[in-house]
Amino acid sequence: MTNKKKKILYLVEAMGGGVVTYIETLANGLIDEFDFTIAYGKRDQTPEDLEDHFDKRVRLFEIKHFTRPVNPIKDFLARREIKKLIKEEKPDLIHLHSSKAGALGRLFFCKDDYKMVYTPHGYSFLMQDAKFIMRKAYHFIEKICGRKNCLTVACGRGEWEESLKVSKESTFISNGVDTNFIDEVLKDDEKKDDKFRVYTVGRVEFQKNPELFNEIAEMLPNIEFVWIGQGELEKKLTSPNIKVTGWMSREEVFKSANQCDVFILPSRWEGLPLALLEAMYMRKACIVSDVVGNRDIVHNGVTGYICETAEDFAEVIKQLEIRIDDKMIKNAYETIVDHYNDGWLCDRYKDLYLEVLEK
């Protein structure tokens, strides 16, 4: 007689962007080992075909009152929805994803009978677009919640170093890329044309620094810049050589990126960006801002370039237009294959879940 699979509940407020890919990789990669339920909040960037991203054995439940900002009424109603779901599902382990889910889960459900882990995917108190008093409030909430009996599992070394300041128990498992999926999508893709292009991927929002992206594009008017995604700050992208694609399916994202030469990420802050890992695997020259998350994976002059100003970005891009360093591309690609693939990610999470469940 086989042992019954342990039940894991993912509680995810920020169901969009790289978080979707992260959740998808783990749930689909570990579905033979564990029984997964995903309770999520819908955002503008939540895929319309969300169910199609997951193995049919993964159960999905929308938490109607999940919101990103603090809202006492909606937070109370979200808590009630979550409580009802937990009572029905009776999970053996709850994995909280994002700061909002992390706060609600640890404040209201972190009891001895619920084994729990938490992944921030970028701490709210690091968000530079939040007011100073709000960042202080987020930091205070993390410190209070960090005293609970819950293991924090950061997405990378930089996020882990931040977690040590607010959590009593913390570790990290770096993000991983679904290399097989990328290979499958691109195996019959049309050959790249001769036009030199620079691109980025993500929501056009304050964190991703569209102002700096636009400034770099203005300095290089003869080069086409592509922003794969959309967002509320598209009006900041005024340079005529910038193309904004809008939201795309994962397959379309990779095919669009495959027609470009250089990936840039001028973010103001990051966790450990999947778009960067994917670009490195796709053998794109990568240029990133000097922030936590980016520095975890890009070693300047070895696996990519780290820049601070628009002038720095523009100068490197001009050099790459003349010649791309094949050795650097190879170093970046091998880094992903050896240390940041989805199999590596799932194996480490399997070990971590079993360790937490056995405590």
Side-chain angles (χ1 to χ4, degrees), residues 276-310:
L276 171 58
L277 302 180
E278 290 163 350
M280 292 169 69
Y281 180 74
M282 292 174 66
R283 296 179 173 86
K284 305 300 177 184
C286 296
I287 317 171
V288 301
S289 54
D290 189 10
V291 298
V292 168
N294 291 344
R295 288 194 301 262
D296 292 349
I297 182 66
V298 172
H299 302 290
N300 195 36
V302 179
T303 57
Y305 303 89
I306 298 176
C307 295
E308 294 189 15
T309 67

PDB file of all heavy atoms in Angstrom, residues 276-310:
ATOM      1  N   LEU A 276      15.659  37.674 -16.020  1.00  0.00           N
ATOM      2  CA  LEU A 276      17.111  37.731 -16.177  1.00  0.00           C
ATOM      3  C   LEU A 276      17.689  36.329 -16.343  1.00  0.00           C
ATOM      4  O   LEU A 276      18.531  36.091 -17.226  1.00  0.00           O
ATOM      5  CB  LEU A 276      17.741  38.429 -14.969  1.00  0.00           C
ATOM      6  CG  LEU A 276      19.260  38.389 -14.859  1.00  0.00           C
ATOM      7  CD1 LEU A 276      19.918  39.008 -16.079  1.00  0.00           C
ATOM      8  CD2 LEU A 276      19.723  39.098 -13.583  1.00  0.00           C
ATOM      9  N   LEU A 277      17.260  35.400 -15.514  1.00  0.00           N
ATOM     10  CA  LEU A 277      17.747  34.021 -15.615  1.00  0.00           C
ATOM     11  C   LEU A 277      17.404  33.439 -16.992  1.00  0.00           C
ATOM     12  O   LEU A 277      18.229  32.757 -17.610  1.00  0.00           O
ATOM     13  CB  LEU A 277      17.128  33.154 -14.517  1.00  0.00           C
ATOM     14  CG  LEU A 277      17.361  33.581 -13.063  1.00  0.00           C
ATOM     15  CD1 LEU A 277      16.685  32.607 -12.108  1.00  0.00           C
ATOM     16  CD2 LEU A 277      18.845  33.691 -12.748  1.00  0.00           C
ATOM     17  N   GLU A 278      16.193  33.707 -17.455  1.00  0.00           N
ATOM     18  CA  GLU A 278      15.773  33.196 -18.757  1.00  0.00           C
ATOM     19  C   GLU A 278      16.596  33.812 -19.890  1.00  0.00           C
ATOM     20  O   GLU A 278      16.977  33.110 -20.844  1.00  0.00           O
ATOM     21  CB  GLU A 278      14.284  33.477 -18.951  1.00  0.00           C
ATOM     22  CG  GLU A 278      13.405  32.629 -18.038  1.00  0.00           C
ATOM     23  CD  GLU A 278      11.987  33.151 -17.903  1.00  0.00           C
ATOM     24  OE1 GLU A 278      11.702  34.282 -18.352  1.00  0.00           O
ATOM     25  OE2 GLU A 278      11.144  32.425 -17.339  1.00  0.00           O
ATOM     26  N   ALA A 279      16.889  35.100 -19.788  1.00  0.00           N
ATOM     27  CA  ALA A 279      17.704  35.753 -20.822  1.00  0.00           C
ATOM     28  C   ALA A 279      19.106  35.162 -20.866  1.00  0.00           C
ATOM     29  O   ALA A 279      19.679  34.972 -21.951  1.00  0.00           O
ATOM     30  CB  ALA A 279      17.761  37.259 -20.556  1.00  0.00           C
ATOM     31  N   MET A 280      19.667  34.890 -19.693  1.00  0.00           N
ATOM     32  CA  MET A 280      21.002  34.284 -19.649  1.00  0.00           C
ATOM     33  C   MET A 280      20.994  32.902 -20.278  1.00  0.00           C
ATOM     34  O   MET A 280      21.916  32.532 -21.006  1.00  0.00           O
ATOM     35  CB  MET A 280      21.495  34.238 -18.199  1.00  0.00           C
ATOM     36  CG  MET A 280      21.774  35.608 -17.612  1.00  0.00           C
ATOM     37  SD  MET A 280      22.048  35.585 -15.818  1.00  0.00           S
ATOM     38  CE  MET A 280      23.642  34.736 -15.718  1.00  0.00           C
ATOM     39  N   TYR A 281      19.934  32.122 -20.024  1.00  0.00           N
ATOM     40  CA  TYR A 281      19.838  30.793 -20.625  1.00  0.00           C
ATOM     41  C   TYR A 281      19.674  30.887 -22.140  1.00  0.00           C
ATOM     42  O   TYR A 281      20.188  30.046 -22.884  1.00  0.00           O
ATOM     43  CB  TYR A 281      18.662  30.014 -20.027  1.00  0.00           C
ATOM     44  CG  TYR A 281      18.531  28.632 -20.620  1.00  0.00           C
ATOM     45  CD1 TYR A 281      19.428  27.624 -20.265  1.00  0.00           C
ATOM     46  CD2 TYR A 281      17.545  28.337 -21.567  1.00  0.00           C
ATOM     47  CE1 TYR A 281      19.329  26.356 -20.830  1.00  0.00           C
ATOM     48  CE2 TYR A 281      17.443  27.088 -22.131  1.00  0.00           C
ATOM     49  CZ  TYR A 281      18.341  26.095 -21.760  1.00  0.00           C
ATOM     50  OH  TYR A 281      18.258  24.851 -22.322  1.00  0.00           O
ATOM     51  N   MET A 282      18.986  31.939 -22.595  1.00  0.00           N
ATOM     52  CA  MET A 282      18.768  32.122 -24.030  1.00  0.00           C
ATOM     53  C   MET A 282      19.980  32.732 -24.730  1.00  0.00           C
ATOM     54  O   MET A 282      19.915  33.085 -25.908  1.00  0.00           O
ATOM     55  CB  MET A 282      17.536  33.007 -24.258  1.00  0.00           C
ATOM     56  CG  MET A 282      16.226  32.357 -23.849  1.00  0.00           C
ATOM     57  SD  MET A 282      14.827  33.503 -23.972  1.00  0.00           S
ATOM     58  CE  MET A 282      14.762  33.750 -25.740  1.00  0.00           C
ATOM     59  N   ARG A 283      21.064  32.880 -23.995  1.00  0.00           N
ATOM     60  CA  ARG A 283      22.335  33.386 -24.528  1.00  0.00           C
ATOM     61  C   ARG A 283      22.229  34.834 -25.010  1.00  0.00           C
ATOM     62  O   ARG A 283      22.798  35.198 -26.047  1.00  0.00           O
ATOM     63  CB  ARG A 283      22.847  32.477 -25.657  1.00  0.00           C
ATOM     64  CG  ARG A 283      23.187  31.049 -25.207  1.00  0.00           C
ATOM     65  CD  ARG A 283      23.670  30.212 -26.385  1.00  0.00           C
ATOM     66  NE  ARG A 283      24.161  28.904 -25.991  1.00  0.00           N
ATOM     67  CZ  ARG A 283      23.390  27.824 -25.828  1.00  0.00           C
ATOM     68  NH1 ARG A 283      22.087  27.912 -26.022  1.00  0.00           N
ATOM     69  NH2 ARG A 283      23.922  26.665 -25.473  1.00  0.00           N
ATOM     70  N   LYS A 284      21.520  35.647 -24.239  1.00  0.00           N
ATOM     71  CA  LYS A 284      21.465  37.072 -24.518  1.00  0.00           C
ATOM     72  C   LYS A 284      22.492  37.789 -23.642  1.00  0.00           C
ATOM     73  O   LYS A 284      22.672  37.434 -22.472  1.00  0.00           O
ATOM     74  CB  LYS A 284      20.075  37.637 -24.224  1.00  0.00           C
ATOM     75  CG  LYS A 284      18.935  36.923 -24.953  1.00  0.00           C
ATOM     76  CD  LYS A 284      19.105  36.989 -26.465  1.00  0.00           C
ATOM     77  CE  LYS A 284      18.011  36.218 -27.165  1.00  0.00           C
ATOM     78  NZ  LYS A 284      18.210  36.192 -28.652  1.00  0.00           N
ATOM     79  N   ALA A 285      23.152  38.790 -24.190  1.00  0.00           N
ATOM     80  CA  ALA A 285      24.030  39.626 -23.368  1.00  0.00           C
ATOM     81  C   ALA A 285      23.157  40.398 -22.391  1.00  0.00           C
ATOM     82  O   ALA A 285      22.146  40.991 -22.792  1.00  0.00           O
ATOM     83  CB  ALA A 285      24.819  40.578 -24.252  1.00  0.00           C
ATOM     84  N   CYS A 286      23.518  40.398 -21.106  1.00  0.00           N
ATOM     85  CA  CYS A 286      22.657  40.973 -20.067  1.00  0.00           C
ATOM     86  C   CYS A 286      23.349  42.153 -19.370  1.00  0.00           C
ATOM     87  O   CYS A 286      24.500  42.048 -18.939  1.00  0.00           O
ATOM     88  CB  CYS A 286      22.285  39.918 -19.040  1.00  0.00           C
ATOM     89  SG  CYS A 286      21.282  38.576 -19.723  1.00  0.00           S
ATOM     90  N   ILE A 287      22.584  43.246 -19.252  1.00  0.00           N
ATOM     91  CA  ILE A 287      23.064  44.442 -18.552  1.00  0.00           C
ATOM     92  C   ILE A 287      22.030  44.783 -17.479  1.00  0.00           C
ATOM     93  O   ILE A 287      20.848  44.932 -17.794  1.00  0.00           O
ATOM     94  CB  ILE A 287      23.223  45.645 -19.501  1.00  0.00           C
ATOM     95  CG1 ILE A 287      23.876  45.223 -20.816  1.00  0.00           C
ATOM     96  CG2 ILE A 287      24.028  46.740 -18.834  1.00  0.00           C
ATOM     97  CD1 ILE A 287      23.865  46.322 -21.879  1.00  0.00           C
ATOM     98  N   VAL A 288      22.468  44.930 -16.234  1.00  0.00           N
ATOM     99  CA  VAL A 288      21.513  45.121 -15.138  1.00  0.00           C
ATOM    100  C   VAL A 288      21.948  46.266 -14.233  1.00  0.00           C
ATOM    101  O   VAL A 288      23.119  46.659 -14.215  1.00  0.00           O
ATOM    102  CB  VAL A 288      21.369  43.828 -14.298  1.00  0.00           C
ATOM    103  CG1 VAL A 288      20.892  42.674 -15.165  1.00  0.00           C
ATOM    104  CG2 VAL A 288      22.688  43.466 -13.609  1.00  0.00           C
ATOM    105  N   SER A 289      20.985  46.765 -13.470  1.00  0.00           N
ATOM    106  CA  SER A 289      21.285  47.798 -12.477  1.00  0.00           C
ATOM    107  C   SER A 289      21.955  47.173 -11.254  1.00  0.00           C
ATOM    108  O   SER A 289      21.838  45.964 -10.999  1.00  0.00           O
ATOM    109  CB  SER A 289      19.997  48.512 -12.067  1.00  0.00           C
ATOM    110  OG  SER A 289      19.020  47.571 -11.621  1.00  0.00           O
ATOM    111  N   ASP A 290      22.622  48.001 -10.489  1.00  0.00           N
ATOM    112  CA  ASP A 290      23.412  47.552  -9.345  1.00  0.00           C
ATOM    113  C   ASP A 290      22.537  47.481  -8.093  1.00  0.00           C
ATOM    114  O   ASP A 290      22.624  48.317  -7.200  1.00  0.00           O
ATOM    115  CB  ASP A 290      24.588  48.507  -9.126  1.00  0.00           C
ATOM    116  CG  ASP A 290      25.581  47.983  -8.096  1.00  0.00           C
ATOM    117  OD1 ASP A 290      25.456  46.812  -7.701  1.00  0.00           O
ATOM    118  OD2 ASP A 290      26.464  48.760  -7.678  1.00  0.00           O
ATOM    119  N   VAL A 291      21.650  46.447  -8.047  1.00  0.00           N
ATOM    120  CA  VAL A 291      20.746  46.290  -6.906  1.00  0.00           C
ATOM    121  C   VAL A 291      20.745  44.833  -6.450  1.00  0.00           C
ATOM    122  O   VAL A 291      21.163  43.927  -7.174  1.00  0.00           O
ATOM    123  CB  VAL A 291      19.306  46.723  -7.258  1.00  0.00           C
ATOM    124  CG1 VAL A 291      19.251  48.198  -7.629  1.00  0.00           C
ATOM    125  CG2 VAL A 291      18.722  45.864  -8.376  1.00  0.00           C
ATOM    126  N   VAL A 292      20.247  44.625  -5.219  1.00  0.00           N
ATOM    127  CA  VAL A 292      20.080  43.280  -4.683  1.00  0.00           C
ATOM    128  C   VAL A 292      19.240  42.464  -5.660  1.00  0.00           C
ATOM    129  O   VAL A 292      18.301  42.957  -6.253  1.00  0.00           O
ATOM    130  CB  VAL A 292      19.371  43.336  -3.309  1.00  0.00           C
ATOM    131  CG1 VAL A 292      18.932  41.942  -2.876  1.00  0.00           C
ATOM    132  CG2 VAL A 292      20.280  43.949  -2.273  1.00  0.00           C
ATOM    133  N   GLY A 293      19.572  41.205  -5.845  1.00  0.00           N
ATOM    134  CA  GLY A 293      18.859  40.357  -6.800  1.00  0.00           C
ATOM    135  C   GLY A 293      19.624  40.273  -8.093  1.00  0.00           C
ATOM    136  O   GLY A 293      20.047  39.193  -8.503  1.00  0.00           O
ATOM    137  N   ASN A 294      19.816  41.421  -8.741  1.00  0.00           N
ATOM    138  CA  ASN A 294      20.627  41.441  -9.963  1.00  0.00           C
ATOM    139  C   ASN A 294      22.073  41.043  -9.664  1.00  0.00           C
ATOM    140  O   ASN A 294      22.698  40.286 -10.410  1.00  0.00           O
ATOM    141  CB  ASN A 294      20.605  42.831 -10.598  1.00  0.00           C
ATOM    142  CG  ASN A 294      19.253  43.192 -11.180  1.00  0.00           C
ATOM    143  OD1 ASN A 294      18.413  42.321 -11.389  1.00  0.00           O
ATOM    144  ND2 ASN A 294      19.042  44.470 -11.447  1.00  0.00           N
ATOM    145  N   ARG A 295      22.603  41.579  -8.553  1.00  0.00           N
ATOM    146  CA  ARG A 295      23.999  41.277  -8.188  1.00  0.00           C
ATOM    147  C   ARG A 295      24.189  39.822  -7.788  1.00  0.00           C
ATOM    148  O   ARG A 295      25.313  39.315  -7.809  1.00  0.00           O
ATOM    149  CB  ARG A 295      24.439  42.178  -7.022  1.00  0.00           C
ATOM    150  CG  ARG A 295      24.646  43.626  -7.377  1.00  0.00           C
ATOM    151  CD  ARG A 295      25.393  44.344  -6.267  1.00  0.00           C
ATOM    152  NE  ARG A 295      24.688  44.282  -5.001  1.00  0.00           N
ATOM    153  CZ  ARG A 295      23.906  45.247  -4.517  1.00  0.00           C
ATOM    154  NH1 ARG A 295      23.709  46.350  -5.227  1.00  0.00           N
ATOM    155  NH2 ARG A 295      23.320  45.126  -3.344  1.00  0.00           N
ATOM    156  N   ASP A 296      23.097  39.145  -7.398  1.00  0.00           N
ATOM    157  CA  ASP A 296      23.213  37.743  -7.000  1.00  0.00           C
ATOM    158  C   ASP A 296      23.644  36.856  -8.161  1.00  0.00           C
ATOM    159  O   ASP A 296      24.292  35.833  -7.958  1.00  0.00           O
ATOM    160  CB  ASP A 296      21.872  37.224  -6.467  1.00  0.00           C
ATOM    161  CG  ASP A 296      21.476  37.856  -5.148  1.00  0.00           C
ATOM    162  OD1 ASP A 296      22.326  38.543  -4.542  1.00  0.00           O
ATOM    163  OD2 ASP A 296      20.321  37.674  -4.730  1.00  0.00           O
ATOM    164  N   ILE A 297      23.247  37.229  -9.359  1.00  0.00           N
ATOM    165  CA  ILE A 297      23.445  36.345 -10.500  1.00  0.00           C
ATOM    166  C   ILE A 297      24.422  36.897 -11.525  1.00  0.00           C
ATOM    167  O   ILE A 297      25.155  36.147 -12.163  1.00  0.00           O
ATOM    168  CB  ILE A 297      22.070  36.034 -11.161  1.00  0.00           C
ATOM    169  CG1 ILE A 297      22.216  35.071 -12.342  1.00  0.00           C
ATOM    170  CG2 ILE A 297      21.373  37.301 -11.594  1.00  0.00           C
ATOM    171  CD1 ILE A 297      22.679  33.703 -11.971  1.00  0.00           C
ATOM    172  N   VAL A 298      24.446  38.227 -11.705  1.00  0.00           N
ATOM    173  CA  VAL A 298      25.351  38.826 -12.692  1.00  0.00           C
ATOM    174  C   VAL A 298      26.640  39.259 -12.007  1.00  0.00           C
ATOM    175  O   VAL A 298      26.639  40.070 -11.085  1.00  0.00           O
ATOM    176  CB  VAL A 298      24.693  40.045 -13.385  1.00  0.00           C
ATOM    177  CG1 VAL A 298      25.719  40.768 -14.256  1.00  0.00           C
ATOM    178  CG2 VAL A 298      23.512  39.597 -14.236  1.00  0.00           C
ATOM    179  N   HIS A 299      27.746  38.690 -12.465  1.00  0.00           N
ATOM    180  CA  HIS A 299      29.075  39.095 -12.000  1.00  0.00           C
ATOM    181  C   HIS A 299      29.707  39.931 -13.112  1.00  0.00           C
ATOM    182  O   HIS A 299      29.912  39.446 -14.228  1.00  0.00           O
ATOM    183  CB  HIS A 299      29.914  37.860 -11.673  1.00  0.00           C
ATOM    184  CG  HIS A 299      29.281  36.979 -10.634  1.00  0.00           C
ATOM    185  ND1 HIS A 299      29.180  37.339  -9.315  1.00  0.00           N
ATOM    186  CD2 HIS A 299      28.676  35.764 -10.741  1.00  0.00           C
ATOM    187  CE1 HIS A 299      28.569  36.394  -8.646  1.00  0.00           C
ATOM    188  NE2 HIS A 299      28.238  35.421  -9.482  1.00  0.00           N
ATOM    189  N   ASN A 300      29.967  41.180 -12.793  1.00  0.00           N
ATOM    190  CA  ASN A 300      30.359  42.157 -13.802  1.00  0.00           C
ATOM    191  C   ASN A 300      31.583  41.714 -14.596  1.00  0.00           C
ATOM    192  O   ASN A 300      32.631  41.385 -14.035  1.00  0.00           O
ATOM    193  CB  ASN A 300      30.635  43.508 -13.123  1.00  0.00           C
ATOM    194  CG  ASN A 300      30.685  44.642 -14.120  1.00  0.00           C
ATOM    195  OD1 ASN A 300      29.946  44.645 -15.096  1.00  0.00           O
ATOM    196  ND2 ASN A 300      31.573  45.595 -13.889  1.00  0.00           N
ATOM    197  N   GLY A 301      31.422  41.673 -15.903  1.00  0.00           N
ATOM    198  CA  GLY A 301      32.514  41.293 -16.778  1.00  0.00           C
ATOM    199  C   GLY A 301      32.692  39.794 -16.922  1.00  0.00           C
ATOM    200  O   GLY A 301      33.523  39.342 -17.706  1.00  0.00           O
ATOM    201  N   VAL A 302      31.907  39.001 -16.174  1.00  0.00           N
ATOM    202  CA  VAL A 302      32.036  37.538 -16.225  1.00  0.00           C
ATOM    203  C   VAL A 302      30.778  36.902 -16.812  1.00  0.00           C
ATOM    204  O   VAL A 302      30.837  36.114 -17.762  1.00  0.00           O
ATOM    205  CB  VAL A 302      32.316  36.955 -14.822  1.00  0.00           C
ATOM    206  CG1 VAL A 302      32.427  35.429 -14.892  1.00  0.00           C
ATOM    207  CG2 VAL A 302      33.575  37.562 -14.236  1.00  0.00           C
ATOM    208  N   THR A 303      29.600  37.233 -16.242  1.00  0.00           N
ATOM    209  CA  THR A 303      28.337  36.684 -16.754  1.00  0.00           C
ATOM    210  C   THR A 303      27.424  37.780 -17.304  1.00  0.00           C
ATOM    211  O   THR A 303      26.304  37.499 -17.722  1.00  0.00           O
ATOM    212  CB  THR A 303      27.591  35.907 -15.658  1.00  0.00           C
ATOM    213  OG1 THR A 303      27.368  36.776 -14.534  1.00  0.00           O
ATOM    214  CG2 THR A 303      28.399  34.697 -15.202  1.00  0.00           C
ATOM    215  N   GLY A 304      27.871  39.019 -17.269  1.00  0.00           N
ATOM    216  CA  GLY A 304      27.071  40.137 -17.745  1.00  0.00           C
ATOM    217  C   GLY A 304      27.700  41.451 -17.307  1.00  0.00           C
ATOM    218  O   GLY A 304      28.874  41.488 -16.914  1.00  0.00           O
ATOM    219  N   TYR A 305      26.901  42.509 -17.333  1.00  0.00           N
ATOM    220  CA  TYR A 305      27.404  43.835 -16.983  1.00  0.00           C
ATOM    221  C   TYR A 305      26.492  44.466 -15.939  1.00  0.00           C
ATOM    222  O   TYR A 305      25.270  44.372 -16.019  1.00  0.00           O
ATOM    223  CB  TYR A 305      27.456  44.728 -18.223  1.00  0.00           C
ATOM    224  CG  TYR A 305      28.296  44.172 -19.353  1.00  0.00           C
ATOM    225  CD1 TYR A 305      27.720  43.340 -20.316  1.00  0.00           C
ATOM    226  CD2 TYR A 305      29.643  44.469 -19.452  1.00  0.00           C
ATOM    227  CE1 TYR A 305      28.480  42.829 -21.356  1.00  0.00           C
ATOM    228  CE2 TYR A 305      30.418  43.961 -20.488  1.00  0.00           C
ATOM    229  CZ  TYR A 305      29.834  43.136 -21.434  1.00  0.00           C
ATOM    230  OH  TYR A 305      30.592  42.623 -22.456  1.00  0.00           O
ATOM    231  N   ILE A 306      27.092  45.146 -14.972  1.00  0.00           N
ATOM    232  CA  ILE A 306      26.361  45.888 -13.958  1.00  0.00           C
ATOM    233  C   ILE A 306      26.615  47.374 -14.183  1.00  0.00           C
ATOM    234  O   ILE A 306      27.773  47.806 -14.231  1.00  0.00           O
ATOM    235  CB  ILE A 306      26.784  45.475 -12.539  1.00  0.00           C
ATOM    236  CG1 ILE A 306      26.462  43.993 -12.301  1.00  0.00           C
ATOM    237  CG2 ILE A 306      26.082  46.335 -11.493  1.00  0.00           C
ATOM    238  CD1 ILE A 306      26.947  43.459 -10.950  1.00  0.00           C
ATOM    239  N   CYS A 307      25.533  48.145 -14.327  1.00  0.00           N
ATOM    240  CA  CYS A 307      25.646  49.577 -14.602  1.00  0.00           C
ATOM    241  C   CYS A 307      24.813  50.379 -13.609  1.00  0.00           C
ATOM    242  O   CYS A 307      23.876  49.852 -12.991  1.00  0.00           O
ATOM    243  CB  CYS A 307      25.182  49.881 -16.028  1.00  0.00           C
ATOM    244  SG  CYS A 307      26.211  49.142 -17.310  1.00  0.00           S
ATOM    245  N   GLU A 308      25.141  51.672 -13.499  1.00  0.00           N
ATOM    246  CA  GLU A 308      24.407  52.545 -12.590  1.00  0.00           C
ATOM    247  C   GLU A 308      23.676  53.662 -13.323  1.00  0.00           C
ATOM    248  O   GLU A 308      22.548  53.990 -12.972  1.00  0.00           O
ATOM    249  CB  GLU A 308      25.366  53.130 -11.546  1.00  0.00           C
ATOM    250  CG  GLU A 308      25.953  52.083 -10.602  1.00  0.00           C
ATOM    251  CD  GLU A 308      26.727  52.709  -9.457  1.00  0.00           C
ATOM    252  OE1 GLU A 308      26.579  53.922  -9.235  1.00  0.00           O
ATOM    253  OE2 GLU A 308      27.475  51.973  -8.782  1.00  0.00           O
ATOM    254  N   THR A 309      24.292  54.274 -14.319  1.00  0.00           N
ATOM    255  CA  THR A 309      23.700  55.426 -14.997  1.00  0.00           C
ATOM    256  C   THR A 309      23.272  55.065 -16.415  1.00  0.00           C
ATOM    257  O   THR A 309      23.706  54.058 -16.982  1.00  0.00           O
ATOM    258  CB  THR A 309      24.700  56.589 -15.061  1.00  0.00           C
ATOM    259  OG1 THR A 309      25.786  56.207 -15.922  1.00  0.00           O
ATOM    260  CG2 THR A 309      25.234  56.924 -13.664  1.00  0.00           C
ATOM    261  N   ALA A 310      22.438  55.933 -16.983  1.00  0.00           N
ATOM    262  CA  ALA A 310      22.024  55.742 -18.378  1.00  0.00           C
ATOM    263  C   ALA A 310      23.232  55.751 -19.303  1.00  0.00           C
ATOM    264  O   ALA A 310      23.303  54.991 -20.277  1.00  0.00           O
ATOM    265  CB  ALA A 310      21.031  56.830 -18.771  1.00  0.00           C
TER     266      ALA A 310
END
